[in-house]
Each structure stands twice: as C-alpha cells, then as structure tokens.
C-alpha cells in the first residue's frame, strides 16, 4: 500500500494552559483519496486533531506533544504554518471568520495574493475554482449578501487554490440550515472526486455526513481514539451508542422494530438499505403496535396573536409579508425556515426591537404596539443564540439579577426572586461562581435565568442548541421542556429538524418572509413540497417508511418520536 | 438583517470612477495638504471651483451625499460660532489692521478682518469636503489596501484597513443585536438616567461585544495564517487595477495644484493673503 | 520598524471597526454637541491588551472612518486619537492584564489614560489645529479641555469596568465548590 498522507504514531498533546493532555496515544493513518469522518462529543479532542494537522498546533496554540506525526511526509512541528498550508486546506466552522476579503473574488484569491501570484494568473485560477464550487456567478458579492452555505463554498474555494493534498472540514454543518448542509456534503463529495484529495470531516452529526459516501469513521472519546473502522462496520458495532453521538434515525427505527443492524443491510445510508420482505413487515408491525401512543392535544387559551404583520428594514425589501398566527398558552412551538426567511425578524418584532410597517401583535388580546421594549420584556423574554452575547457580568448572581435592578423591586423581593429563578434553572449551587467557569450549556441556562427572572409568560429562543453535540443538546432541550411543563410558553427559532420533531408538536414554517405552513412538526417533514420550499430536509424516517410500504409516513414519524419519548422517560425514571 | 453600507461607495461609471484607487489617494493627499497649508483666499477659491468641476464629472449627485453635506454644514457653523465667541477680534490680530463694521454687545464687534478670517477657515474646510466625499464615493473599498500598499504603506497596515471595512457591518450588526437584547433587560443608554448610570450600563453592551471581538480576532488571524498571510515581503492584489494614461495625467495635475498652490501662497513670504495691507 | 504580527493586523482591523461603529452610536450627553465617546474606552482596552502600535492604528483608522463618513477628515483630531492609543499602549506595556487584575493595575491603567487624554486633547490636537487652521488658541484649549475631561471620565469608568470584566471572564477554571 502507498504511503499514508497523514500518519500519527503514538501521538499525544497537552495545551500549555491545561492541566491534563487533550490527546493520548493517537495512532492513525490516512491515505490519499480517503474520506474520513472524525466524530465525537465536544471536548473529545476531535478539533485538536484538526489543529495538529493544519499547523495551528504548535504555531498558534502552544503545548507539549509526544510521539510522531507526519503530514504529507512533513512534521508540522518542524515546518512553518505556511508550508503546511500548501498541503492541508482547512475550512473553519465560522464562515464569517474565514471570509476575510471584501468580495468573493478577493477572498478566494487571498492565498494566491500572499504567494505573490501575478494578477492575470490569479484571476484565471479564481474563476476555475469558483466554478468548481459553483460560486462563479457571485464573484463581486460582499459577504453580507451571501447565505451561510455560499460563504462556506467561498471558504472551500479559498483553500482549493493551493491544490492541497488534504482537505480538512471543521464542523461544516454547524451553521447551515438542513438543505444547505446536505448541499455542502454533496459538494465535498464532488470536490474530492475531482481533486482526489484526502478529505477529513470533523463532525458529530453522523447521519447528515453519511448522506454521501464516507470510507472510515474515527470515533474520539476523552482524547483517545475508541473506534477506527470502515463506515459499515462502525454502524453495525456497539460504538454508535453513547460517546455523544446520535444514532441515525432510520437505524434507531430498525432497532426499535427488533431488526439487528448487520453489514448485509448496507446500513450506511437510508437509500442503500436492503431490507428483506420479512424485515419490512417487522417495521410495519412495529408501526401498528405504536398506535395510540400519540395523544391529541387539548385546546388551550390563546396567549399571543400576530395579525397581518409586515415589516422591511428598507422600503424596497419586505422581510415579513402579511404574517398571521397565534400561540396558545403553554405551547412549545418551533419556527423554522432557511437563513434569512424572516424568523429572527419576527422575534424582533414580537419583542418590540423593531416596529412593524403593518399589522399588530396582541398578548392576551391586548395590542402591544404602545408598549416599550422594557414593558414587553416583562411578558415576553428573548434569549439570543450565543450566551456570550448576553452575559455581561462576571458573576452568575449579578447576571441573573440585572434585569430586576432597573425596576422598583425591594432588595428582599429581588433576592427571593433571584434565588427562586436559580433554583428553577438548577443553578442555585453555582450562584457564587464566575460565569467563566461554566460550560456552554450552563451558560445558556444563565442567560435563560436572566430572562426568566422577569417572569415572562413567553420565552423566545434563537437557535437554542446551535453547534452543540448530542449530549449538550439533550441537556438544554430537556431543561426547556421542564420549563414548558412549569407553564412557560416557549417559542424556538431553529433549523434543527431533530429538535423540532422531538420537542415541539407544532411548527410554523417561513420562507422568504412569508408564513408557508402552520402545522404539526411531523407533517412538515413529510410533505416533500414544503420541505423543498423551506430549505428543509425530509428525515430518513420518511424514506424508510416509504421503503417499507407504510401508507402514512407522517404517522410513522409521529409514532417513532412518541416511542422515543417513552423510552427516554423510562430511562430516567 | 438590514443592509449596511460600509462606506458610501456609489458604483457608477464616470471618468473619476475609472481612475485607480492609487491615483485618487494621491490626488486626495495632495489636495488635503494644499488646503491645510494655504491660507490664501485666491488659492482656496480656485480650489473650490476645481473641486466643483470634478464633482460634476464624477456623476455623483448632491442627493447622494446630502446627509454628509448637512453634517459638514452643522460642523462648520458650530466651529465658526465657537471661534467668534472666544475671540471676536482674532482676525484683527491676524491681519494686523482693524475695520470696524458694527458692534453687537461688549467685546463682540464685527470687523471686516474677522469676517475675512471666517471666510478663509470655512473655505479651507469646504474645499476638502467634496474631494474627500468623492474619494470615498468613487473608490471601490476593495482597492483601498492595494492603493495604500502602492504608495509605500506596508501591506500589513493596508490589510488592517481592509479588515476594518470588512468587519464593520458584522460589528455593527452584533452591536445592534446585543443592545436590543440588553434593552429588554432594562439597559438603556438613551434614557433619562444619570450620566454615570448610563456609562455603567454601556458596559453591559460593550463587554459582550469586546469578548466576541477578541474571539473573532483569534479566528480571523488563524484563518489568515492558515492561508499564508505574512509569508512573503510583498504580496499581489486581486483587486488592483493597472495605471492608465489618465491616471498619470491626474497625478501630474495633483502635483501641479500642490506646487502652484503653495508657490502662490508663499510668494510674498506669508501663508496668509492679506488684502487689508495695501 | 518591527513587522506587525498577523494577530496585531487583525486586532487593528477589528478594533478600528469597533471604534468606528461606537463612534457612530450617538449617546446624548448633558452638554449639547458633545457625545459620550465610548470608542475611546474600547481603544484604551485594546491598547492595553495589544500594545501601542495597535492602539495607535485603531485610533487613526477608526477616527478617519468616522470623519470620512460624516464631514470629511479633520486630521488634527484624527492624529490625537491615534496618539491616545499610542500613549496608553506604551504606558501599560508591562501590565499583563491576561494574568489577572488588581487595584494597582487598574490605577496604572487610569494613570495611563489620563496622561494620554491630557496630552492628546490638551496639546497634540490644539497645536496641530494652530498649525493647520490657525485657529485661536483660546478656543482650541477650551475645546481640548472639554474633550479631555469627557474622554477621561468615559475611559475611566467604562474602560476600567471593561478591563475588570475581561480579566474576570478569561480567568481559568479554578477549584470551585458547589454550595447547597
């Protein structure tokens, strides 16, 4: 066999700032033309592996390394980061951070500019590469005119100009809506076919990456490689459960139906599944057995109503067009749609950050248009996507108390209210901690506590779980569910299809500023026309149920979710 | 999200737009230096006329830049007012003669010399405004860094300018989002609170903004190093345009303005043109 | 001159963007026509974290952008803004705020910012204004004094709180105990 392009031999690494190593005894060979997924929970060390490959370690992050590492035959610890950038092209998770140029063309040319390539040659290369990633019609565009998926293509083009041997993707799906994520995976596949580069994808969203062929899966846990096997073997092994990964939904469904996952099933992709008639019958049988699990919702009092709402940041462009819907008390609702569909704009209008050009918003039948931001905040709380964008006090107690200080509450009332809120949020034991000592999920709770302390009836959350692994996702969502059970009405803006399916019975779908649908979450994902229009993605459950000849894929999805819930509750109780 | 114009670059085709960023930068510098140094009314008036002509050629409309012009007018008015309030007879001192026109109250007299001084200082500012605006309105921001580098500024500094332009809309959006979320928690900067409270409140917005900016600095510098920034002593520029004949002519014209302007100004050994001494 | 590191280049770019954006945010102040200039607090923090060269360029580029989008560049004040960053960065060079902060360091920072603002607005800006615009000294010093006082207060309050918040936020995870 040929020489590997990447070879770790008993490699270990410890960041200078940390007390214990992040990587232990890594042994890993990757060959030209291979496509490898490095999976694992956050903190498992998977991103550190990436930084070892592209030279950020030791160039930007100091630390001690042991063992051997060769990348393209060179030791990153002895070469400059520039030499490595000719071998490894890295597409970072933060597409805005990687987009350095003022326009698409400039950004793609960035590496060439640094290499002093003459302008003529540079323009040719840019054109060529841009065409390959299908962004050649946008060369004059500025970053804020592009979608997340387009920006990622620019990043990819920008590293491809160097004709690198290795392409490294750090969590490529984290910031994309479902359809854009799928396109990204397709694009990575296409680019690899054309260039023959070795592709390494660092991700925890297994099912989404498996949309296209992946040769091998390397699973990381606590700094060690716990599995390194061909995709098929990995999916049939017991490594899939635990380790912060989520099993692909179609495989869970098969497992629930009592079908063992074997290599013969071709389990790496829902469309490649080879189920025998007998196995299909078992799925159908399971489907029939689950009937009745899914109860109907009782009708409740209407709390928020949005009537004929329209809004545009500029007179020429309407960001929201004639939107009407209502939310009932105690509901948990998802608002979904592609980036820029108007979801966040809607939240800003409800909170009073922006004023509608037409229509009105009523809370318990009362028109809110006369209320100030502050007045509305007493009733409707808004939690931003990134907790770091909200936290402005070093201590948890102060952060939670902040919103009360502007009011008229007495010191004692304030103390009681803050204590009570911290208890609801499970933060009471940490009340004297600095915020900096908390994990992402805990910080998220602090921001939610900072809102809850005003006792709003409704909480709106913007992408509550963006970028979180399965473990943190579950932690945050279960917390929100517990709040919902306490009676808080919860509205979530998301493009996470799992979240919508699992936690919110109802979904409101937006596209280009218009309300496209207001229906059950399961229905949204089982309506191909709606899925396409809103840039969503049907789940593998849909595909599986169709393959098994189930006449009502929507009911199949609903029953699957209901049975998962039962399993989860059984586990807890 | 609202579209944020970086600087008010207005894309049109005109002879001024045709010129490279480098040419416009050189012209702008020569023009600024001349107007800053000279106090010669004749030179300033000539520049005003030339500026107006260039403005016409650029096909930028007054309405495109009315906001900026309004601000400039307010600024000029206030500046003139302050000068007068502090030193109503400063012109007399400067021009070494006194022609009293009338008197308002107390020491506030109106002299021909003072008015002439105000005229000159206003002209000095007015001369620069159209050219500065044109420089911004007719130069593609993409060309900035390349232009700076061509006139001898290190490419690292040039690129810092480019990054400032690149990330201004992002920072602006982030500022807005953070301040809205904090307003919902009772943090208000425009309210009736005391100055000290408002300063303290601003920290609730600035701290998250700065922490996230520090993060951004880390990501962006990693991204730049991973793509070879700083590898060579020089770099080439994708957005740079070649110098044409019109560019060289414009630069020659700029040099002419500078030399003629300064020669005329200092012909009599003083930077001031003094019509009162005959 | 030593070459700027990539990180410094980026710090200048993003710092200038912050300076620019904050300069455009009008916060009314008690005295008409003088806004609270939050950008100087941020410039001071960046100068302390990244040094005098970064501080100076942030002031220069940021202030140029503000002026260029409002009434054309007023060079004397632009240079004074750059000077503020330069002086603060220089005086706080060995402060190492990343390693924690105490009242001694905060006093050091405030001494630096007071020196910087007094020199910038009391000396650099007026002298340049005299050279360029031959404006009357009385007006310039009155103006300079007002600017110096306003900026010293803003930087003193906001800058100090920001540094404090920064130091407490980057502090490493210690051995913290939960309380019931």
């Amino acid at each position: 066999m040929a020489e590997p392009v990447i070879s770790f031999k008993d490699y270990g690494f410890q960041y200078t700032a940390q007390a214990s190593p992040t990587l232990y005894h890594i042994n890993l060979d990757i060959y030209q033309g291979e496509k490898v997924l490095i999976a694992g929970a956050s903190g498992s060390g998977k991103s550190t592996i990436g930084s070892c490959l592209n030279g950020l370690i030791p160039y930007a992050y100091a630390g001690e390394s042991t063992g051997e590492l060769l990348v393209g035959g060179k030791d990153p610890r002895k070469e400059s980061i520039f030499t490595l950038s000719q071998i490894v092209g890295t597409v970072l998770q933060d597409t805005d951070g990687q987009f350095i140029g003022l326009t698409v063309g400039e950004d793609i040319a960035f590496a060439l500019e640094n290499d002093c390539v003459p302008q003529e040659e540079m323009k040719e290369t840019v054109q060529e590469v841009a065409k390959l990633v299908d962004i050649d019609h946008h060369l004059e565009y500025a970053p804020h005119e592009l979608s997340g998926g387009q920006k990622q293509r620019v990043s990819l083009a920008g590293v491809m100009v160097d004709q690198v041997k290795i392409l490294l993707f750090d969590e490529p799906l984290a910031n994309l809506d479902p359809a854009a994520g799928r396109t990204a995976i397709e694009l990575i596949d296409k680019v690899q076919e054309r260039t023959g580069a070795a592709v390494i994808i660092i991700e925890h969203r297994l099912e989404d990456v498996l949309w296209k062929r992946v040769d091998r899966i390397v699973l990381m846990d606590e700094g060690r490689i716990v599995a390194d096997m061909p995709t098929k073997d990995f999916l049939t092994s017991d490594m899939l459960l635990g380790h912060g990964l989520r099993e692909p939904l179609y495989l869970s469904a098969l497992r629930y139906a009592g079908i063992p996952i074997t290599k013969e099933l071709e389990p790496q992709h829902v469309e490649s599944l080879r189920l025998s008639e007998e196995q299909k019958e078992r799925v159908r049988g399971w489907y029939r057995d689950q009937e009745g699990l899914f109860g109907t919702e009782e009708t409740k009092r209407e709390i928020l109503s949005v009537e004929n709402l329209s809004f545009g940041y500029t007179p020429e462009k309407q960001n929201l067009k004639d939107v009407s819907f209502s939310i009932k008390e105690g509901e948990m609702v998802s608002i979904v749609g592609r980036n820029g569909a108007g979801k966040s704009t809607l939240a800003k209008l409800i909170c009073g950050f922006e004023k509608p050009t037409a229509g009105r918003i009523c809370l318990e039948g009362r028109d809110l248009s006369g209320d100030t931001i502050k007045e509305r905040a007493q009733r409707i709380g808004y939690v931003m996507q990134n907790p770091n964008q909200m936290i402005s006090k070093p201590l948890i107690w102060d952060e939670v108390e902040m919103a009360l200080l502007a009011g008229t509450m007495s010191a004692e009332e304030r103390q009681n209210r803050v204590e009570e809120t911290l208890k609801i949020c499970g933060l009471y034991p940490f009340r004297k901690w600095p915020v900096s000592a908390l994990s992402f999920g805990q910080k998220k709770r602090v921001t939610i506590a900072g809102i809850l302390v005003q006792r709003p009836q409704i909480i709106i959350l913007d992408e509550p779980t963006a970028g979180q692994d399965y473990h943190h996702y579950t932690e945050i969502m279960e917390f929100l569910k517990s709040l919902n059970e306490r009676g808080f009405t919860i509205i979530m803006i998301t493009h996470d299809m799992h979240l919508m399916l699992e936690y919110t019975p109802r979904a409101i779908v937006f596209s280009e500023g218009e309300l496209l649908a207001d229906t059950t979450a399961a229905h949204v994902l089982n309506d191909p026309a709606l899925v396409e229009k809103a840039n969503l993605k049907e789940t593998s459950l849909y595909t599986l149920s169709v393959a098994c000849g189930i006449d009502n894929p929507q009911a199949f999805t609903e029953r699957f979710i209901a049975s998962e819930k039962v399993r989860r509750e059984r586990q807890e109780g | 999200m609202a579209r944020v114009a970086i600087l008010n670059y207005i894309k049109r085709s005109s002879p001024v737009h045709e010129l490279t960023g480098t040419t416009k930068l050189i012209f702008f510098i020569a023009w600024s230096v001349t107007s800053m140094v000279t106090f010669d009314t004749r030179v300033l008036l000539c520049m005003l006329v030339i500026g107006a002509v260039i403005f016409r050629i650029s096909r930028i409309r007054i309405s495109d830049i009315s906001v900026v012009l309004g601000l400039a007018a307010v600024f000029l008015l206030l500046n003139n007012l302050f000068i007068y309030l502090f030193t109503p007879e400063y012109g007399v001192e400067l021009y070494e003669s006194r022609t009293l026109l009338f008197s308002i109250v107390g020491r506030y007299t109106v002299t021909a010399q003072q008015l002439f001084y105000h005229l000159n200082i206003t002209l000095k500012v007015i001369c620069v405004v159209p050219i500065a605006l044109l420089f911004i309105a007719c130069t593609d921001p993409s060309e900035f860094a390349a232009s700076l580098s061509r006139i001898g500024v290190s490419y690292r500094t040039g690129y810092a300018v480019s990054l400032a332009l690149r990330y201004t809309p992002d920072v602006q959006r982030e500022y807005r989002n953070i301040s809205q979320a904090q307003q919902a928690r009772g943090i208000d900067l425009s309210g009736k609170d005391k100055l000290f409270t408002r300063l303290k409140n601003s920290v609730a917005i600035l701290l998250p903004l700065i922490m996230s900016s520090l993060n951004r600095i880390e990501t962006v510098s990693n991204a730049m190093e991973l793509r070879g920034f700083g590898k060579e002593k020089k770099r080439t520029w994708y957005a740079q345009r070649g110098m044409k004949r019109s560019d060289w002519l414009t630069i020659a014209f700029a040099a002419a303005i500078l030399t003629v302007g300064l020669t005329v100004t200092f012909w009599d050994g003083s930077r001031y043109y003094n019509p009162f001494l005959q | 001159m030593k070459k700027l590191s990539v990180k410094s280049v980026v710090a200048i770019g993003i710092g200038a963007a912050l300076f620019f954006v904050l300069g455009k945010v009008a916060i009314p102040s008690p005295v008409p026509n003088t806004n609270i200039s939050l950008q100087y607090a941020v410039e001071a923090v960046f100068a302390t974290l990244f040094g005098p060269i970064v501080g100076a360029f942030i002031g220069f580029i940021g202030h140029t952008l503000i002026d260029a989008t409002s009434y054309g560049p007023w060079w004397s004040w632009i240079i004074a803004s750059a000077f503020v960053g330069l002086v603060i960065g220089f005086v706080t060079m060995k402060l190492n705020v990343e390693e924690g902060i105490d009242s001694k360091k905060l006093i050091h920072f405030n001494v630096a910012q007071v020196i910087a603002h007094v020199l910038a607005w009391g000396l650099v800006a007026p002298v340049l204004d005299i050279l360029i615009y031959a404006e009357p000294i009385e007006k310039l010093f009155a103006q300079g004094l007002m600017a110096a006082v306003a900026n010293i207060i803003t930087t003193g309050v906001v800058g100090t709180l920001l540094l404090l918040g920064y130091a407490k936020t980057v502090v490493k995870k210690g051995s913290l105990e939960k309380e019931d």
Side-chain angles (χ1 to χ4, degrees), chain A residues 327-346:
Chain A
I327 305 278
K328 295 204 172 61
E329 188 170 30
E331 265 196 303
M332 191 141 158
V333 182
S334 281
I335 296 184
V336 297
R338 75 171 79 194
N339 293 338
K343 298 170 297 182
S344 297
T345 310
L346 174 70

Side-chain angles (χ1 to χ4, degrees), chain B residues 255-267:
Chain B
I257 291 175
L258 186 71
T259 36
V260 174
L262 297 190
T263 312
V264 171
T265 305
F266 289 108
W267 194 252

Side-chain angles (χ1 to χ4, degrees), chain C:
Chain C
M1 200 177 92
K2 225 182 79 199
K3 276 192 302 181
L4 285 168
S5 72
V6 176
K7 196 153 193 174
S8 301
V9 170
V10 182
I12 294 171
I14 306 234
L18 275 167
F19 191 100
F20 176 38
V21 169
L22 292 174
K24 294 297 239 177
V25 178
I27 297 169
S29 87
V31 188
N33 286 313
T34 51
N35 283 331
I36 296 174
S37 309
L38 291 175
Q39 66 267 35
Y40 291 107
V42 172
E43 185 189 13
V45 171
F46 271 64
T48 309
L49 296 179
F50 295 101
I53 305 290
V54 172
F57 274 119
I58 287 176
F60 189 84
I61 297 170
H63 198 144
T64 308
L65 290 176
I66 295 175
D67 276 9
T69 51
S70 39
Y71 40 71
W74 192 265
W75 293 109
S76 45
W77 287 55
I78 290 173
I79 290 168
S81 278
F83 188 78
V84 169
L86 186 74
V87 173
I88 296 181
F90 198 75
V91 180
T92 59
M93 204 113 96
K94 299 231 160 73
L95 214 52
N96 287 330
V97 193
E98 295 82 359
E99 287 162 17
I101 204 157
D102 50 32
S103 44
K104 224 174 93 191
K105 286 187 183 181
L106 287 179
I107 291 169
H108 188 141
F109 168 77
N110 275 291
V111 170
Q113 68 99 352
V114 170
I115 297 176
H117 282 306
V118 167
L119 287 179
W121 313 111
L123 193 72
V124 176
V127 167
L128 287 172
D129 269 337
I130 291 168
L131 287 176
I132 300 171
Y133 301 100
E135 290 196 5
I137 293 179
E138 294 88 332
K139 176 239 178 194
L140 288 176
F141 284 106
Q143 225 177 1
L145 191 73
M146 252 170 39
V149 170
N151 289 335
I152 285 172
I153 294 175
T154 314
T155 314
V157 177
V158 181
T160 306
L161 288 172
L162 285 176
L163 266 191
L164 209 62
Y166 165 81
K168 284 196 180 154
T169 313
V170 294
V171 87
K172 286 163 209 115
K173 292 182 190 187
S175 53
L176 295 155
E177 301 271 347
K178 288 191 213 173
E179 290 171 71
D180 296 319

Side-chain angles (χ1 to χ4, degrees), chain A residues 17-35:
Chain A
Q18 285 186 354
S20 56
T22 302
L23 296 178
Y24 299 90
H25 308 296
I26 301 295
N27 284 297
L28 179 64
D29 285 334
I30 292 173
Y31 296 88
Q32 193 66 41
E34 257 197 310
K35 191 156 153 208

Side-chain angles (χ1 to χ4, degrees), chain B residues 45-80:
Chain B
L45 282 171
C46 280
M47 286 174 79
L48 193 64
V49 173
I50 296 169
V53 171
I54 297 173
F55 195 86
R56 283 286 296 172
I57 297 173
S58 74
R59 299 185 46 205
I60 297 292
R61 288 181 285 267
I62 297 281
S63 60
D64 292 328
I65 52 165
S66 54
V67 178
V68 183
L69 284 179
L71 282 169
V74 172
F75 175 78
L76 267 174
L77 200 72
L78 283 171
N79 202 40
N80 275 307

Side-chain angles (χ1 to χ4, degrees), chain A residues 207 246-256 270-271 273 275 283 286-287 497-498 501-502 521-522 525-526 537-550 552-564:
Chain A
E207 180 168 351
R246 151 161 242 163
E247 182 180 41
L249 293 180
Y250 60 96
L251 293 182
S252 303
L254 291 178
R255 222 159 36 80
Y256 296 164
V270 66
E271 275 166 15
L273 272 185
L275 295 174
V283 174
W286 174 81
Y287 165 68
M497 297 300 100
H498 290 158
L501 265 180
E502 281 178 315
L525 293 182
N526 287 292
K537 191 175 77 174
E538 70 264 21
T539 65
S540 52
L541 294 174
Y542 173 84
T543 321
L544 177 67
S545 63
V546 170
C548 292
I550 289 165
N552 187 350
Q554 182 182 334
F556 183 77
T557 308
E558 281 164 359
R559 288 177 198 179
F560 174 83
I561 296 300
S563 105
E564 278 227 308

